[in-house]
Amino acid sequence: MKIECTIDGKRLSFSLNSNKPLSLVLQENCDYTTINAHCRGKNCGLCLVLLDNMPVLSCMVPAFEIHGKTITTFESFLRIKYFNRKLNDIEKAYEDLGIRPCDDCYTSRTILFDYLTDIIIAKNNEQPSFDSGAEPFNVESLVKEMSIIKCTCMDLHDVRQILNRIRIIREKRIGRRS
Amino acid sequence: MVEGLNSPNIHTPKTLSEYGNIMLHNTNTSLWAGGTYIMTRPDVYPSRATGTDNIIYLGEIEELHRFQRNDRVAEFGAMVPLYQMATSGKGVLPKILVSNIESIGCSIITRRATIGGALCTPDMTTSIPGTLIALSSNVEMKIVKKKRLHSRWAPISRLVDKNGRFQLPPKALLSRVRIAINQPSYQKFFCTKDFMSKPEDSVAIAFVADWEQDILQNARLVITLPKSGICFSRDIDNIFTALRFPLEDSEYDSIYNVLFAFISSSFQISPLQKAIIRSFVGTVVEELNRKALTMPISEN
């Protein structure tokens, strides 16, 4: 099956098995090294990518579903300016707090932190009366959202600290720009 | 890399009539909704795990994405994601359905999983059909018959075969799910965390009833054992219906014994599943006992 899609800003065309998982397409057809797992749908959470700006587990997306869509992997965070700025915020938060995800889950966790921070900031902007210090995710829903990554290198306390730190750094940056 | 081997043809109908045409002209087809179940099968790629030469992807059929509600019922197209059901229906849908959807996992999974897919998983039962049976929900099926697409509504409980599996008629497509939006006055749902990953020891239980004075009416208990199937019966419901609370310990023990005699006669059940069901029934009885004992005297 011929599939055309945009991966990390590049328009690509492949001839693929129609039910090949996206995680294997990225590893085998694009030689991406930042996707380091193919758990065959066991939800290890280490193959997280953005499909049309929504996070998905790439091992659960068949090739025929990516036709005409935009895929953003961690490579975008390294190469594209817009994402690189976001990565800098996250890196700064890791540095400030002295907490870092392990090498296995670094890419997936970073994408997930970025996505959750964007939701938190959007919710703060939607509701001006909403106390900006309050968390739109209660503990239970945060545990649920983070449970997609099975790696145990971070606990909930670390996650909350990091999310809060990224939010502060990002809001400051956006505030400076505007 | 195994490109070119066993690559199924993908059909992406835009309407239900297009779907009907594809079904008429192709044999050996399999339907693809969100893919969350199919993609977790160990042999999905590169083998012929789907067992077919043709995959019909339902994601682009607009009719299957609609949802609407009136005063009495909410209707969801089969391709409505569970996340959308839980968020848009949070205020109106019965609480046990919302908590069932929330128990499935994070939004990354529930955004892809669809209500139709959750009902029609082939060799394993998810927790959703049990809850919908407890809520007396109905489904609409589109069946290809005599070169035409026919439509039929049926209660979900009627589509469960004698082995406890949800089964659609051959060549049928589940197109809509209709859920009554009245809230039963007592409802409780429980599901073990690793329902999909450890099916042998997992169990989901949905219980609804109307609580009038200190008596249970219209009770419905549905137990889902992912490997064995869905367990429900009018006999079980009758055990709970017309019970007057608070219950004595001996009454609780006899309920438990009758319940397990019924389940064990038709389903294989592990000791852990047995313990979970016992604890659930115990919690329900305890809660209703407390409710009966703390009622104002004028109501008693």
Side-chain angles (χ1 to χ4, degrees), chain B residues 53-65:
Chain B
D53 302 326
N54 297 290
I55 290 175
I56 302 180
Y57 177 55
L58 304 171
E60 296 192 8
I61 303 179
E62 206 263 324
E63 289 114 303
L64 300 183
H65 284 277

Side-chain angles (χ1 to χ4, degrees), chain B residues 37 47 69 85 88 91 117 122 130 153 155-156 158 180 202 238 243 261 271 299:
Chain B
Y37 174 77
S47 79
R69 62 166 279 227
M85 266 182 88
S88 60
W153 282 94
I156 296 183
R158 292 264 291 277
S202 295
N238 287 343
L243 270 184
E299 277 187 40

Side-chain angles (χ1 to χ4, degrees), chain B residues 67-76 88-89 91-92 181:
Chain B
F67 64 92
Q68 56 187 32
R69 62 166 279 227
N70 58 28
D71 291 346
R72 293 187 299 126
V73 293
E75 267 180 25
F76 293 91
S88 60
V92 290
I181 55 179

Side-chain angles (χ1 to χ4, degrees), chain A residues 17-18 20 28 41 115 145, chain B residues 3-5 7-8 40 107 111:
Chain A
N17 268 28
S18 52
K20 186 173 186 175
E28 293 179 353
Y115 171 71
E145 291 302 322
Chain B
E3 307 318 349
L5 291 173
S7 181
T40 54
S107 61
R111 271 201 182 95

